[in-house]
Amino acid sequence: MSVYTPAEVVEETGFSLDTLRYYEKIGLLEPISRNAAGQRRFSQEDVGWLGLIRCLRDTGMPIAEMLRFAELVREGDHTFADRARLLEEHDRRVQGQIENLVERRRYIHHKISYYRGAV
């Protein structure tokens, strides 16, 4: 089993040490095991979970929803349908953001064309 230091997890996930501690404190991340000296040691499973959290955070999922998702995961496999619904709702919001960005980009391209034509 691979074990990662906090510094390695920071590099792998892009989260700061403070964010990792915060996520552990609020229960978004399970309590991290420690070595004999009391230093945190992350498992491959922890790093994988943080990858999912990174994706959800980067796509705008509120922490409260991430906590709800984590709660569902901890409740077990019988929550698959609830997890899927939560992710589907998030996916719809992400799709709306994408559509909004595409429209904004069209407007920017229109302005670029206007200014290039004016010079």
Side-chain angles (χ1 to χ4, degrees):
M1 180 171 135
S2 297
V3 177
Y4 301 86
T5 66
E8 291 169 330
V9 174
V10 164
E11 186 165 327
E12 177 75 22
T13 66
F15 289 125
S16 69
L17 284 173
D18 288 338
T19 298
L20 294 173
R21 283 189 213 104
Y22 174 69
Y23 285 173
E24 185 179 8
K25 179 181 174 184
I26 65 171
L28 188 55
L29 185 59
E30 289 282 331
I32 301 302
S33 65
R34 295 174 184 262
N35 66 12
Q39 300 163 325
R40 285 179 173 85
R41 291 299 179 249
F42 293 80
S43 69
Q44 182 63 47
E45 185 175 286
D46 295 326
V47 173
W49 176 254
L50 285 165
L52 172 62
I53 296 305
R54 167 57 72 193
C55 174
L56 297 176
R57 182 177 128 170
D58 287 353
T59 55
M61 182 180 276
I63 286 181
E65 284 184 34
M66 288 189 279
L67 285 167
R68 176 66 183 138
F69 186 79
E71 180 182 299
L72 290 169
V73 168
R74 290 179 190 124
E75 287 178 17
D77 291 351
H78 69 279
T79 65
F80 278 4
D82 292 330
R83 290 186 234 175
R85 273 192 294 280
L86 193 149
L87 291 174
E88 288 165 350
E89 290 170 15
H90 180 63
D91 184 58
R92 282 190 288 280
R93 285 191 306 270
V94 169
Q95 184 59 42
Q97 293 169 355
I98 290 168
E99 290 166 5
N100 184 45
L101 285 172
V102 166
E103 186 58 35
R104 299 293 179 227
R105 188 169 187 229
R106 280 189 198 115
Y107 183 78
I108 290 168
H109 285 177
H110 172 75
K111 284 298 188 183
I112 290 169
S113 295
Y114 172 79
Y115 291 127
R116 293 224 184 265
V119 290

